[in-house]
Amino acid sequence: MASRAHPVDGDVSSATDGGDLPIKSSPHRHKVGVPPKQNMFHDFMYTFKETFFHDDPLRHFKDQPKSKQFMLGLQSVFPVFDWGRSYNLKKFRGDLIAGLTIASLCIPQDIGYAKLANLDPKYGLYSSFVPPLVYACMGSSRDIAIGPVAVVSLLLGTLLRAEVDPVTNPDEYLRLAFTATFFAGVTEAALGFFRLGFLIDFLSHAAVVGFMGGAAITIALQQLKGFLGIKKFTKKTDIIHVLDSVFNAAHHGWNWQTILIGASFLTFLLTSKLIGKKNKKLFWVPAVAPLISVIISTFFVYITRADKQGVQIVKHLDKGINPSSFDQIYFSGDNLAKGIRIGVVAGMVALTEAVAIGRTFAAMKDYQIDGNKEMVALGVMNVVGSMSSCYVATGSFSRSAVNFMAGCQTAVSNIIMSIVVLLTLLFLTPLFKYTPNAILAAIIINAVIPLVDIQAAILIFKVDKLDFIACMGAFFGVIFVSVEIGLLIAVSISFAKILLQVTRPRTAVLGNIPRTSVYRNIQQYPEATMVPGVLTIRVDSAIYFSNSNYVRERIQRWLLEEEEKVKAASLPRIQFLIIEMSPVTDIDTSGIHALEDLYKSLQKRDIQLVLANPGPLVIGKLHLSHFADMLGHDHIFLTVADAVEACCPKLSDEV
């Protein structure tokens, strides 16, 4: 509890009663400046620019000849024309090694991720051929590796299966998948083109951590079907139904050969990952381990004919590059609405993951990426992909990390990866016929383990309990209900937190730091002293219609509590209420009405309202609304110290 300075002769206790309380003016005191009146159109354009074009994307075009502007425009849409001019053999060597490394990782992962989406394995490979080529031309990140990812594959598969059964209607399911991919791309591109990328920031970091962790556990549980060799498995994704399905099959549905293969290679994959973590120079070990696992396990199953003993295998995998799928996209009918709905959800999640990955690695290499350009690139990539038999692709964190560690220099590493996938599609797909499903399950389990970020959850718990609730809400929503419900919970809690912070802003009572003219929160600085007869309150938010009544009522409650303490301690009554308005960045008409109501209420109690340091927007609106005239210009000060000095000059001099 902050202490109160003792009253001195000539302080506020000697002020006359009735009307506005006298405030001493000082010739050395600066007045609060009122900004010049802005033209309404200019004011609107400034707000519009700061909202949608805060990075001033056209600044490079100023004072440039037409030919230069054309080239800059081309480079803006296709960054390959920018970095491609300085490309050299040294950079190609780094990209070649990185591209070959991530290709060895992506091929087995793509086959497994396609199964997560309830699609034929070839569609996973298709999605690592065309989309990376498009991104390499349009994307601005040097490190991101493009392709299918586990979380989006699971989300897409879950949403699609809720509409169409992939077993009874495989053709309709596939068409709906392409439709959803098309509209996922349209959503991403539209957000980037209209510069609405800030919308994805509404999904808080805590909610993303919880959602990703829950999705990772759900994905791992789904792999128990292939890992244990279970033939009859639940179509639901929640943990209760999955574990019930697993244990019901324990007596007759588990295959020991499958379990042996899966457990052996999962141990190998985890060991290789541990080796890579301990020695950064051996980053390539965990990168090539999945492909080595596929080769060895496939050879083992082929020579032992373990598939005859109940070991489930991939079977036939079509050769050839992506066929056109434009004619399979729904542009009318009931499935159009379904495709749009699924595509928007999948596109937003894919976008959130890709932009986060791009920003992470850009920060590590100290370069900038344009979030809106990234969205356009990802959107065009998925639109083109939907027309070439691909499903939703985005940035993969595991592959991007390997790409970064392997020394990639530019997006050419994605092109190298695409070429390797192309060669695989043309010549090597028959070799995957005897690949056991258990090894694909092991590869996916190994890939999703890092998504369960326990350290991040612990940090969230320590820093912000409300954030932790959002994290756990998303986590438990995914594992106990479904992926889409978990996502809905994550978004809902994120919005609820925003609404709570907007409608219930923080306020604080301020005291003077001894031997200074600084006034700070008395809870943060217990040594701060409160001036007798003066209550200083800081409002830590803009005052809008959504919180104006709360701010007024909270200030009045602070005043009531302080008056009770003053009365109990036989100290001078409160005669001045100073509101520190530095954090109040804006105010609307509801906020001004709240201040007017507060002023009138205080006048009836012989308490003078004083404002300290209102910002340019706030003071401008207070003048336009004539509240400044009502309050009195001599009751508006540049700092709290100025206000206190004017209210009780002798005490301020002694402090």
Side-chain angles (χ1 to χ4, degrees):
M1 175 65 187
S3 60
R4 273 193 180 276
H6 294 292
V8 298
D9 293 338
D11 70 3
V12 293
S13 60
S14 63
T16 58
D17 294 333
D20 287 352
L21 292 173
I23 286 185
K24 181 180 178 181
S25 61
S26 169
H28 304 294
R29 191 177 299 129
H30 293 283
K31 293 184 177 181
V32 176
V34 181
K37 188 175 180 181
Q38 294 290 324
N39 178 282
M40 187 174 71
F41 176 75
H42 288 159
D43 191 40
F44 171 79
M45 290 305 297
Y46 174 80
T47 304
F48 180 81
K49 181 181 177 182
E50 285 300 305
T51 303
F52 298 102
F53 300 96
H54 62 279
D55 54 344
D56 194 11
L58 301 179
R59 64 186 182 280
H60 300 300
F61 293 81
K62 294 176 182 176
D63 303 321
Q64 297 290 343
K66 295 293 183 182
S67 58
K68 181 67 173 178
Q69 288 182 349
F70 173 77
M71 194 62 197
L72 288 172
L74 198 62
Q75 290 173 357
S76 179
V77 178
F78 300 101
V80 64
F81 288 109
D82 183 20
W83 56 259
R85 293 183 302 168
S86 59
Y87 199 72
N88 53 43
L89 192 60
K90 182 180 179 181
K91 290 182 178 180
F92 177 73
R93 185 170 59 196
D95 287 335
L96 179 63
I97 295 171
L100 292 174
T101 307
I102 59 175
S104 67
L105 178 63
C106 87
I107 291 170
Q109 282 187 348
D110 290 346
I111 295 172
Y113 292 161
K115 286 181 171 290
L116 272 180
N118 305 308
L119 295 169
D120 192 277
K122 65 184 178 183
Y123 294 107
L125 294 173
Y126 290 164
S127 301
S128 278
F129 170 45
V130 173
L133 293 175
V134 177
Y135 182 85
C137 296
M138 299 187 67
S140 57
S141 173
R142 305 172 195 166
D143 303 280
I144 197 168
I146 297 297
V149 296
V151 173
V152 176
S153 297
L154 175 68
L155 177 64
L156 188 66
T158 303
L159 295 175
L160 289 171
R161 189 165 56 192
E163 302 294 342
V164 180
D165 192 323
V167 178
T168 57
N169 296 302
D171 293 337
E172 185 180 354
Y173 183 91
L174 183 62
R175 291 188 65 185
L176 191 58
F178 293 150
T179 305
T181 301
F182 177 83
F183 286 105
V186 169
T187 300
E188 293 169 336
L191 287 174
F193 181 79
F194 292 108
R195 305 187 69 80
L196 299 173
F198 60 85
L199 292 177
I200 66 171
D201 293 331
F202 282 101
L203 196 60
S204 69
H205 170 70
V208 171
V209 168
F211 174 75
M212 289 295 185
I217 291 176
T218 300
I219 290 166
L221 290 172
Q222 290 288 306
Q223 300 316 300
L224 292 177
K225 176 185 178 182
F227 196 85
L228 302 175
I230 301 172
K231 293 182 179 178
K232 292 184 179 180
F233 200 72
T234 180
K235 293 181 179 179
K236 296 184 179 292
T237 60
D238 65 281
I239 190 171
I240 304 298
H241 283 91
V242 170
L243 291 181
D244 181 63
S245 184
V246 168
F247 290 119
N248 283 339
H251 298 295
H252 54 82
W254 293 11
N255 182 275
W256 70 268
Q257 294 98 329
T258 301
I259 296 172
L260 180 62
I261 293 171
S264 300
F265 284 101
L266 180 58
T267 303
F268 168 68
L269 291 168
L270 293 173
T271 303
S272 66
K273 182 176 287 186
L274 189 63
I275 292 171
K277 279 186 178 180
K278 286 191 173 182
N279 190 341
K280 298 298 183 183
K281 292 182 179 180
L282 298 177
F283 68 88
W284 55 269
V285 173
V288 300
L291 187 59
I292 292 173
S293 300
V294 168
I295 293 171
I296 296 174
S297 62
T298 302
F299 180 71
F300 173 77
V301 170
Y302 176 72
I303 62 171
T304 62
R305 296 314 305 265
D307 56 310
K308 302 292 185 182
Q309 305 299 318
V311 175
Q312 298 175 32
I313 58 175
V314 171
K315 297 181 181 177
H316 180 68
L317 196 58
D318 292 338
K319 287 176 64 175
I321 61 173
N322 310 30
S324 172
S325 56
F326 177 77
D327 58 339
Q328 296 189 56
I329 298 173
Y330 289 111
F331 289 107
S332 61
D334 294 339
N335 284 331
L336 173 61
K338 296 176 183 177
I340 293 173
R341 187 176 68 252
I342 296 170
V344 169
V345 174
M348 290 291 284
V349 174
L351 204 56
T352 302
E353 187 170 358
V355 172
I357 292 169
R359 287 173 177 169
T360 298
F361 289 105
M364 292 171 71
K365 283 191 175 180
D366 195 26
Y367 68 92
Q368 296 289 325
I369 64 168
D370 187 322
N372 289 298
K373 288 181 183 177
E374 282 292 286
M375 293 175 193
V376 172
L378 293 163
V380 173
M381 172 187 84
N382 278 313
V383 168
V384 174
S386 69
M387 300 177 185
S388 53
S389 300
C390 304
Y391 74 96
V392 181
T394 187
S396 164
F397 188 82
S398 60
R399 271 176 265 178
S400 298
V402 170
N403 199 28
F404 175 81
M405 294 295 294
C408 70
Q409 299 296 313
T410 67
V412 169
S413 60
N414 275 292
I415 298 175
I416 301 296
M417 180 188 71
S418 293
I419 293 171
V420 174
V421 172
L422 170 63
L423 295 174
T424 303
L425 285 167
L426 290 175
F427 306 110
L428 302 179
T429 49
L431 300 179
F432 292 101
K433 178 179 179 180
Y434 290 98
T435 299
N437 289 340
I439 193 62
L440 301 178
I443 289 170
I444 292 175
I445 292 171
N446 177 63
V448 299
I449 286 175
L451 295 179
V452 184
D453 197 341
I454 297 174
Q455 292 301 319
I458 293 173
L459 181 62
I460 290 168
F461 176 76
K462 290 179 179 178
V463 173
D464 192 323
K465 301 301 185 287
L466 192 60
D467 257 0
F468 184 72
I469 292 173
C471 179
M472 290 298 100
F475 177 79
F476 289 118
V478 172
I479 65 172
F480 282 106
V481 187
S482 65
V483 177
E484 59 267 34
I485 293 298
L487 182 61
L488 180 62
I489 291 173
V491 173
S492 300
I493 295 179
S494 295
F495 270 102
K497 184 181 178 184
I498 294 171
L499 289 174
L500 185 63
Q501 290 175 337
V502 169
T503 59
R504 294 294 183 267
R506 293 185 180 275
T507 57
V509 174
L510 305 185
N512 175 251
I513 304 295
R515 295 177 297 281
T516 73
S517 61
V518 176
Y519 287 77
R520 291 291 182 267
N521 188 338
I522 61 173
Q523 291 184 340
Q524 184 179 2
Y525 298 93
E527 72 275 15
T529 58
M530 295 176 63
V531 181
V534 177
L535 176 62
T536 305
I537 296 174
R538 187 182 67 218
V539 180
D540 293 334
S541 167
I543 305 176
Y544 292 129
F545 67 92
S546 59
N547 62 23
S548 57
N549 285 327
Y550 170 79
V551 169
R552 175 177 54 79
E553 291 169 1
R554 188 67 185 93
I555 291 173
Q556 289 175 324
R557 194 159 80 251
W558 278 122
L559 178 61
L560 181 63
E561 291 171 358
E562 197 60 33
E563 284 180 327
E564 290 173 353
K565 293 176 185 176
V566 164
K567 186 176 181 180
S570 299
L571 292 171
R573 71 179 185 87
I574 302 296
Q575 296 187 55
F576 293 95
L577 174 63
I578 301 173
I579 301 180
E580 155 69 303
M581 301 192 73
S582 298
V584 182
T585 55
D586 199 359
I587 191 169
D588 65 2
T589 52
S590 297
I592 293 171
H593 281 303
L595 289 180
E596 289 175 352
D597 291 342
L598 178 64
Y599 171 76
K600 292 173 183 177
S601 173
L602 294 175
Q603 286 293 95
K604 294 176 183 177
R605 298 161 64 180
D606 291 332
I607 298 175
Q608 178 61 52
L609 178 64
V610 178
L611 303 183
N613 195 26
L617 273 177
V618 175
I619 192 64
K621 291 182 180 181
L622 294 182
H623 274 269
L624 288 173
S625 64
H626 302 294
F627 176 73
D629 299 328
M630 177 191 295
L631 179 65
H633 295 276
D634 56 340
H635 294 149
I636 303 175
F637 297 90
L638 188 63
T639 66
V640 173
D642 284 349
V644 172
E645 181 185 4
C647 294
C648 39
K650 288 188 178 180
L651 181 61
S652 297
D653 291 340
E654 292 189 6
V655 172

